[in-house]
Amino acid sequence: MVLRKGARWAAGVMAAVCMVLLLGPSAPSGGLPLARPLPFDAAEEVVPGRVGTWNICNPCGGGHNFGRATEIATYAPQVIGLQEACVRDVEQIRRYLEEVYGLVYRVAYGSVLRNWNRCGGLPWRPGGFGQAILSAAPMTDRVSVEYPDGGSEARGYLSVTTLVGGRPVRVFNTHLAERRQAPVRAGQVKVLAAEVARHDHAIVLGDFNAVSHAPELGPMWALATDTDPGCRPSTATGGTCTATTDWNSKFDYVFLRGITARTHRVRPSPYSDHHVLFTDLDRG
């Protein structure tokens, strides 16, 4: 499914040249961007047991999907949850991951909006907007739920069952109401936590729009632990939680239930106002 790093880059250059010739002016910016070498410490292939979460930011300017694909390819997680994701953007990211970097991902969508202004398309056929999960392994039992109260915009969660580190795990991906809507988030967390509680082994990814000590996150902390070892519900703003946003707040989480983490990494990105968060899970 994957190629070694050097071969991935060489194959990507050839794929990019072919795509430019085939697509011409119809491709973004006149053609598929040319492959660039990944960082020296980039993953050589999909990493078993590595999971990530990233709010890719929409609307936050266009033309970022190749850069977003490069960010994902650098760490090559087995599973990553994307928030604020348009279906068209995710399809383009997947295409770049496969044709430029040799990484093949399945996708599950949890769109909660059909929005022409956000996602393009025709006025009578707007693009889907919401959550997406990319997984190197097949996914089953997809469930997409819109919260009864989304606040200022529809919000929801997506869940699937897939193999992570060789074992079946229920994976959730969510995006909660905006930061000034704590009462709405409290209701959303109750809906999400009730479903997470049904599973002995679960990974909950997402943008919770709340710092660790926010009262509305209580039901999640009662069920699971975030992979940031210094970030717990008693941690005050400015404490040991690693910031995951450009405004120095911890809003993005990888909550684990019945699973433990070995590493926790946060990577700032020029392609979103949220950082990319990756973690390697304990294989024991």
Side-chain angles (χ1 to χ4, degrees), residues 109-126:
Y109 292 106
S111 297
V112 292
L113 289 174
R114 297 286 171 182
N115 192 297
W116 181 77
N117 287 329
R118 276 188 178 271
C119 296
L122 300 172
W124 56 90
R125 192 181 178 187

Side-chain angles (χ1 to χ4, degrees), residues 51 79 164 169-173 196 201-205 254-257 259 279 281:
V51 299
V79 174
V164 181
V169 178
R170 194 65 178 172
V171 178
F172 295 80
N173 182 21
V196 173
H201 298 90
I203 301 169
V204 186
L205 312 169
V254 176
F255 282 111
L256 302 178
R257 176 172 169 83
I259 305 169
T279 188
L281 304 182

Side-chain angles (χ1 to χ4, degrees), residues 43-64:
E44 295 183 347
E45 56 187 29
V46 166
V47 180
R50 177 169 292 172
V51 299
T53 185
W54 192 17
N55 182 323
I56 60 175
C57 188
N58 176 284
C60 281
H64 293 328

Side-chain angles (χ1 to χ4, degrees), residues 11-56:
V13 172
M14 294 302 297
V17 171
C18 292
M19 290 298 291
V20 169
L21 293 174
L22 288 171
L23 298 179
S26 64
S29 303
L32 190 71
L34 292 177
R36 65 178 74 114
L38 295 175
F40 75 93
D41 57 348
E44 295 183 347
E45 56 187 29
V46 166
V47 180
R50 177 169 292 172
V51 299
T53 185
W54 192 17
N55 182 323
I56 60 175

Side-chain angles (χ1 to χ4, degrees), residues 53 179 185 204-214 216-217 221 225-233 235-255 264-266 273-279:
T53 185
R179 69 183 83 174
R185 287 196 301 276
V204 186
L205 312 169
D207 174 4
F208 284 74
N209 267 320
V211 294
S212 64
H213 62 280
E216 64 268 26
L217 295 190
W221 287 114
T225 302
D226 182 55
T227 59
D228 185 341
C231 194
R232 296 296 179 259
T235 306
T237 302
T240 56
C241 290
T242 303
T244 65
T245 65
D246 287 352
W247 55 93
N248 296 318
S249 291
K250 160 78 170 176
F251 275 10
D252 304 271
Y253 297 81
V254 176
F255 282 111
H264 172 82
R265 282 175 283 186
V266 176
D273 56 359
H274 285 252
H275 306 339
V276 196
L277 194 163
F278 291 103
T279 188

Side-chain angles (χ1 to χ4, degrees), residues 91-245:
E91 287 304 310
Q92 193 171 62
I93 290 168
R94 287 180 69 218
R95 189 185 72 170
Y96 292 155
L97 283 166
E98 180 172 0
E99 296 178 0
V100 177
Y101 295 112
L103 300 172
V104 178
Y105 286 97
R106 285 85 169 175
V107 63
Y109 292 106
S111 297
V112 292
L113 289 174
R114 297 286 171 182
N115 192 297
W116 181 77
N117 287 329
R118 276 188 178 271
C119 296
L122 300 172
W124 56 90
R125 192 181 178 187
F129 173 83
Q131 287 71 244
I133 294 174
L134 301 183
S135 174
M139 292 175 279
T140 61
D141 303 320
R142 170 190 167 274
V143 173
S144 181
V145 172
E146 183 176 336
Y147 293 124
D149 184 359
S152 56
E153 180 180 80
R155 296 289 164 93
Y157 74 80
L158 167 69
S159 66
V160 300
T161 297
T162 189
L163 291 178
V164 181
R167 58 185 174 186
V169 178
R170 194 65 178 172
V171 178
F172 295 80
N173 182 21
T174 191
H175 185 194
L176 300 189
E178 294 179 357
R179 69 183 83 174
R180 294 180 179 87
Q181 300 174 347
V184 177
R185 287 196 301 276
Q188 294 170 348
V189 170
K190 288 179 181 178
V191 172
L192 176 63
E195 184 62 26
V196 173
R198 297 178 59 243
H199 302 274
D200 294 331
H201 298 90
I203 301 169
V204 186
L205 312 169
D207 174 4
F208 284 74
N209 267 320
V211 294
S212 64
H213 62 280
E216 64 268 26
L217 295 190
M220 281 305 307
W221 287 114
L223 293 172
T225 302
D226 182 55
T227 59
D228 185 341
C231 194
R232 296 296 179 259
S234 60
T235 306
T237 302
T240 56
C241 290
T242 303
T244 65
T245 65

